[in-house]
Amino acid sequence: MDAFRHSHSLGQNFLTDRNLLSAIVADAGVAPTDTVIEVGAGQGALTRPLAETGARVIAFEIDKRLEDYLRPLEAQFPNLTVVFADFMKCDLAEFGADKFKAVANLPYYITTPVLFGFLEQSGCESVTVMVQKEVAERIVAPAGGKDYGVLSVSAQLVGKPRITRTVGRQMFTPPPNVDSAVVHIDVEQNRVDEQVAKVVRAAFAMRRKTLVNCLSSAGYDKTRINAAVASLGLDASVRGEKLTPDQFIRLSGLL
């Protein structure tokens, strides 16, 4: 097992520092009564401390070469279920995960779709994920800044994301080219429906263009857009990056 060859295409950069792994579990606030969903279990470094909490853990891993690492863990912990499948193609209802906390060291290449996959689940209570540092900064970015975008609005429409710790690249095997950070979101109220998501995506589709032009290009009636923008007390030349998550909710309703 020591000769395992990490897959670059699967974004396999594994954490091994036990103190850091325990800290991530603590950031997530995992209790024995919880159900935890982990995506990208890897060699089980984070899976083990999650299982040690006594919580029910459902760990997803797409690379079946890692069975030799994960199956022994599954045998050791009766509260652990390892699923060798693509999380994005699975129905959590099949596992009886009506309520869950998401905890993961996410491969960089699937960060955004998996994060949206968590947040779009009605049973998600919180999300604690290790992501690329610049992605973490986008998630927590306030309105008006260059880092503020679709990911920022979507995350902030469900709760108040915060960075709990930064992690240097040297903590991984093999080391990636960038540093990472842990982001925690307590899901307070999921206000992202299909209409809101469409408006937010359209608003940031062409960052150099005004909000009115972006929404018009997405098929919304320009007269209605102008009326909606005016009713929010915004200038007609405003760009999407200036709107707060609450303003996007109001804008969506007006459209």
Side-chain angles (χ1 to χ4, degrees):
M1 290 196 297
D2 292 336
F4 181 80
R5 299 184 66 178
H6 298 78
S7 169
H8 179 72
S9 64
L10 293 177
Q12 289 177 335
N13 304 96
F14 298 151
L15 280 171
T16 56
D17 187 280
R18 290 189 173 230
N19 290 331
L20 175 58
L21 292 161
S22 296
I24 294 171
V25 175
D27 289 344
V30 177
T33 54
D34 290 328
T35 293
V36 176
I37 301 295
E38 182 191 11
V39 173
Q43 293 175 323
L46 181 58
T47 312
R48 175 181 287 278
L50 286 171
E52 287 174 344
T53 66
R56 181 189 177 209
V57 179
I58 305 170
F60 288 86
E61 175 52 57
I62 201 169
D63 189 352
K64 289 190 175 182
R65 295 181 304 150
L66 290 159
E67 281 195 276
D68 288 344
Y69 295 88
L70 295 172
R71 291 303 184 200
L73 271 181
E74 189 176 38
Q76 181 180 351
F77 294 99
N79 55 317
L80 170 63
T81 301
V82 178
V83 182
F84 282 93
D86 184 345
F87 167 76
M88 297 301 295
K89 297 178 181 178
C90 292
D91 182 359
L92 292 183
E94 295 179 7
F95 301 93
D98 298 328
K99 298 285 184 183
F100 67 90
K101 292 180 177 178
V103 187
N105 170 25
L106 290 178
Y108 293 159
Y109 80 105
I110 59 166
T111 294
T112 299
V114 170
L115 189 57
F116 280 126
F118 286 147
L119 296 176
E120 288 168 1
Q121 297 281 340
S122 60
C124 185
E125 297 177 313
S126 69
V127 176
T128 307
V129 288
M130 174 90 74
V131 296
Q132 190 172 332
K133 187 180 177 185
E134 67 176 40
V135 174
E137 290 169 346
R138 292 211 308 269
I139 292 171
V140 303
K146 63 180 179 62
D147 292 331
Y148 187 69
V150 175
L151 195 54
S152 320
V153 177
S154 300
Q156 292 168 34
L157 281 173
V158 303
K160 296 176 182 176
R162 57 189 175 88
I163 295 175
T164 61
R165 65 190 68 246
T166 55
V167 180
R169 63 196 75 184
Q170 73 279 0
M171 301 294 287
F172 295 85
T173 302
N177 295 323
V178 295
D179 294 329
S180 298
V182 178
V183 176
H184 178 79
I185 309 170
D186 281 317
V187 177
E188 299 167 358
Q189 178 185 6
N190 195 333
R191 297 182 289 168
V192 184
D193 58 24
E194 186 176 341
Q195 173 62 18
V196 172
K198 180 182 176 183
V199 169
V200 173
R201 286 195 301 270
F204 290 99
M206 297 170 284
R207 291 188 73 106
R208 292 181 179 275
K209 290 194 174 184
T210 66
L211 175 65
V212 172
N213 285 336
C214 284
L215 293 175
S216 178
S217 295
Y220 290 97
D221 178 75
K222 201 160 190 176
T223 301
R224 179 168 292 204
I225 300 168
N226 280 309
V229 169
S231 70
L232 291 176
L234 300 171
D235 189 89
S237 63
V238 72
R239 290 177 177 165
E241 66 202 46
K242 298 296 183 182
L243 273 69
T244 66
D246 285 341
Q247 286 175 318
F248 272 111
I249 291 290
R250 292 169 59 196
L251 175 64
S252 175
L254 291 167
L255 292 177

